Amino acid sequence: MIYVSEGLLYVCFAILTGSLLLKLVPENKRPSIQVPNGLLLACAIAIPILSYVPIHNLALVFGKDFDMSYGSILKSILLDINTGKAWLWTAIGSAGLALLLGLKAFRNDKHMPKVALFVTFLLIVWLGYAGHASSLYGFRGLITHSSHFLAVSVWIGILFVVSWFAKDNANWPAFLRWFSPVAIAAVIMTLLAGIILMTFTTPEYVNAWMLPYGQMLLIKHLLILPLLLFAYSNGFGYKKAAKNNADFNPKRWLRAESLIALLVLAATGVLGQQTPPHIVKETLQTVSPSPLFTTIYKGSFSPDLTLHFNLQLESLLMFAAALLMAGGLLWMYRTNKLIPAFLMGILTAVFGYYGLMFAIA
């Protein structure tokens, strides 16, 4: 339940960010977009509800451990712990945002989306304040986590809203002319902030693959590969594909890209509710190794194990298959075959995963 709530929380932020940003874009630079105002209102209301789930679970665990009432533990969490303080501000900000989105004037006033976008930005900052990096590294962690999530929300939010709520195919070239550089900048910020976050939370990246957190982090990173391939195709291959095929529909391809983006958000949601393994050996004293790792790893497992790469024929074959699938995805885009391209994108991540896992010793 907690993983589902975290994933839905990220989707709510993406929809709000993408919708509000697109309201600021002139109509001649984007397709006609109609996001139901009720959906935006539901996202604003859902944010404090979904972000309360981990606090609820924490209160249950602490109440049991310290033999205290739920109310007493909850009060302590909300007043003394960063996660609780951030939730209080989130609840206040979300209430204000919901009130703003509920106003009839919001639909026609050109300044209202700016105010709503600013409130959403504050909610992203408070989400970063509640994160592991902020609690461990203070302001540096807050800035890094917030920047990472903001970049993801901008990139995936615009992508998601345009692909599912565009009412026509008008102005696609004009839309891509500004969205492509925005997406590139967001991807660069996401990657840079993500790398910095990893130095905070997972300094032993490869050794962390022995743990559920490390496995999910690896899967998330591998899912980014097909996402980037789709982004490259949609950003730079659209004109050529449309020229060669009059029936080419960019929305279908953006929707496929958005589905892979949702998988990345789902993996991020799982990571957000697991404890990062700062020192893998110590973490293994209290956390069981990942069943995925112990199933695939050929050697004998022990908490003192240090992983290193040793390329074998089977791992090279998996990497070759991943490259073949990546090339196939690009080719399927040119020939306008969506389903094979989507499957090849997923297989790129799958073969890449087995290539890495077969290469460790």
Side-chain angles (χ1 to χ4, degrees), residues 106-125:
F106 174 80
R107 302 172 188 175
N108 301 318
D109 192 318
K110 64 180 181 180
H111 298 296
M112 284 292 188
K114 298 177 184 178
V115 178
L117 189 61
F118 177 72
V119 176
T120 304
F121 170 74
L122 291 179
L123 293 175
I124 289 174
V125 172

Side-chain angles (χ1 to χ4, degrees), residues 92-145:
I92 295 171
S94 297
L97 181 59
L99 179 63
L100 191 64
L101 294 173
L103 295 175
K104 291 184 178 180
F106 174 80
R107 302 172 188 175
N108 301 318
D109 192 318
K110 64 180 181 180
H111 298 296
M112 284 292 188
K114 298 177 184 178
V115 178
L117 189 61
F118 177 72
V119 176
T120 304
F121 170 74
L122 291 179
L123 293 175
I124 289 174
V125 172
W126 291 325
L127 181 74
Y129 181 71
H132 299 300
S134 177
S135 61
L136 293 171
Y137 294 94
F139 187 71
R140 284 188 303 154
L142 169 64
I143 293 297
T144 305
H145 191 170

Side-chain angles (χ1 to χ4, degrees), residues 250-292:
K251 282 197 297 184
R252 294 172 63 244
W253 290 91
L254 287 173
R255 285 177 179 177
E257 183 181 342
S258 71
L259 290 177
I260 296 179
L262 287 177
L263 294 177
V264 174
L265 289 180
T268 305
V270 174
L271 287 172
Q273 296 305 318
Q274 292 186 0
T275 303
H278 304 286
I279 301 176
V280 173
K281 182 179 178 180
E282 293 182 1
T283 306
L284 282 168
Q285 304 300 320
T286 55
V287 177
S288 299
S290 166
L292 268 176

Side-chain angles (χ1 to χ4, degrees), residues 41-86:
L41 185 60
C43 287
I45 295 172
I47 284 175
I49 297 173
L50 294 171
S51 58
Y52 182 75
V53 174
I55 294 178
H56 169 71
N57 288 351
L58 194 62
L60 291 177
V61 172
F62 283 178
K64 183 178 180 181
D65 291 344
F66 297 103
D67 194 23
M68 294 176 63
S69 68
Y70 181 88
S72 299
I73 287 292
L74 181 61
K75 179 181 177 182
S76 179
I77 291 173
L78 295 179
L79 298 180
D80 300 329
I81 299 177
N82 282 4
T83 303
K85 296 175 184 177

Side-chain angles (χ1 to χ4, degrees), residues 144-160:
T144 305
H145 191 170
S146 300
S147 299
H148 179 74
F149 189 62
L150 176 63
V152 170
S153 297
V154 170
W155 172 28
I156 295 180
I158 295 175
L159 167 69
F160 189 84

